[in-house]
Amino acid sequence: MVVTNSESFEKHRRENESWIKKRRKAKPSPLDKVISKTRPRDLPPKEREEDKKHLKEFEEMMTAFKQAAKKKEAARRAEKQAKEAASTQALPVWEKEILPNWKSVLRKDNLRQVWWSGTMPPRYRARFWQSCIGNSLVLGKTSYAKALALARSLQSTGKFPPEITAAIEEDVKRILIPTKLFQEGCPLHSDIIELLQAHCVFWKNDKPVYCPGTAYLAGMLLVCMPAQDAFLCLVNLVNKSLLKTFYYGSKEDMEAYYRVFNTLLADQMPEVYRNFVAHDIRPSLYLQDWLTTLFSMHLGLDSATRAWDIYVLEGDQFLFRLALALLQILKARLFNPDHQELTELFRGQDKGARAIVAREQNKSETDVEPWEAYEEMGATEDPIFEAVKAMEWKEATFQRLLARELPDDD
């Protein structure tokens, strides 16, 4: 008997339907869960030997993945224990030599090394930060209450721009999520909203201005101190640093800082600088977000806190050193000619890094935070600060560049 193509097709279709019904009734195996993502469900099953081979490969892959995860977790625990031991050992120095007079750190290299070591006792952090930031604006304790009252008055009369309110709320959704302090329904949600509203009106009175990223600064301060003290620190920190330019200055002034950084980059990493020039990768692509958030968006909480400890002591020059250190850590990835992929990398949205974090933490890639992607790419605490300390930094050169590029105050 001759079998036609149509009969053969019909027979094959019935066999497939019968197989699909049986597979739907059967409980899926671990391999079923894997192959269902790449193999259409309406195809016949694999040969037994092939199926065994692939199942073995899958099991080996999962075993390797679990072992790698265990090693990573063990390394984290060891790092945490080492940090706790170092903090315990350094505590007497902080309490007996630095706490009575923090300015002694500026004169003694051994104390400066302790300050840089990441061992600052959390219970003294607010005091140290406040002392280093100072109060050059000579603001009284009622300044926060007055600024907040003005913000509330503008809101009640409809003069507080709704776009600023929306920008603040959007920023607050993303900041310091692991602390569980600032998002809606969390303990400090209303505190940070009010602090940012007061900060907006402090600089422009009846014309509030908000720079995206300020919420990260406010959050870091509120973790350490009450809202009133955080307000005084925030406005004085912005006033005394390059933040004033990036928050409220002109584009020309910002470009001056970019030129300073480009010169430093050309000196420290000439091959990266040449590659950036060749592919039109400008500092504004990465430096603006790093600076306006003081790196708190792109570094884990421990790394960001340590960076703040050093920044309040050393000033703006430390931000440039930290930015160069980050580029050094990311260096192998910076020669990608695809502008969009580099943009995603700098924003903490690198596809590969996010996929790994999502897989390890069993969550959606869209839920991966920028700092998590950065850590996956190697920007963890020890490598960052080792890179900063290893850098050949010339303070005189930095100050000369500032004097050359920044416009006169007059």
Side-chain angles (χ1 to χ4, degrees), residues 386-397:
E386 287 171 5
V388 173
K389 287 186 284 187
M391 191 180 303
E392 185 178 349
W393 180 260
K394 299 176 182 178
E395 180 64 18
T397 299

Side-chain angles (χ1 to χ4, degrees), residues 239-257:
N239 184 64
K240 69 181 288 188
S241 68
L242 57 74
L243 289 171
K244 192 171 185 179
T245 292
F246 280 86
Y247 282 8
Y248 309 114
S250 65
K251 184 177 180 181
E252 289 74 18
D253 292 348
M254 292 170 61
E255 288 293 336
Y257 279 110

Side-chain angles (χ1 to χ4, degrees), residues 37-107:
K37 297 177 182 178
T38 57
R39 186 178 179 90
R41 297 188 59 171
D42 59 344
L43 290 180
K46 299 175 182 178
E47 294 292 334
R48 183 181 296 274
E49 292 304 317
E50 185 183 9
D51 192 52
K52 286 182 178 180
K53 176 185 175 184
H54 289 176
L55 180 57
K56 182 181 179 181
E57 291 174 348
F58 171 69
E59 290 173 345
E60 290 174 350
M61 180 183 69
M62 292 305 297
T63 299
F65 172 72
K66 290 177 181 178
Q67 289 175 347
K70 286 181 180 179
K71 287 183 180 179
K72 185 177 288 189
E73 182 58 31
R76 286 173 181 161
R77 286 198 301 269
E79 185 178 335
K80 182 179 180 181
Q81 291 171 355
K83 187 173 181 180
E84 289 173 350
S87 297
T88 300
Q89 186 177 2
L91 184 59
V93 179
W94 284 100
E95 293 186 332
K96 296 177 182 179
E97 299 188 53
I98 300 177
L99 192 61
N101 178 19
W102 72 271
K103 290 186 178 180
S104 61
V105 175
L106 301 174
R107 301 189 299 270

Side-chain angles (χ1 to χ4, degrees), residues 67 82 123 168 171 279 300 303 350:
Q67 289 175 347
R123 63 178 174 270
I168 290 175
D171 254 8
H279 294 95
S303 300
D350 180 79

Side-chain angles (χ1 to χ4, degrees), residues 365-383:
E365 291 185 24
T366 57
D367 293 331
V368 175
E369 297 297 317
W371 65 269
E372 292 178 301
Y374 266 63
E375 287 197 342
E376 178 56 39
M377 293 187 291
T380 54
E381 183 176 350
D382 286 345

Side-chain angles (χ1 to χ4, degrees), residues 33 100 110 124 203 209 261 291 319 381:
K33 296 177 181 179
N110 63 318
Y124 300 135
W203 294 101
V209 176
F261 185 79
L291 295 180
L319 300 180
E381 183 176 350

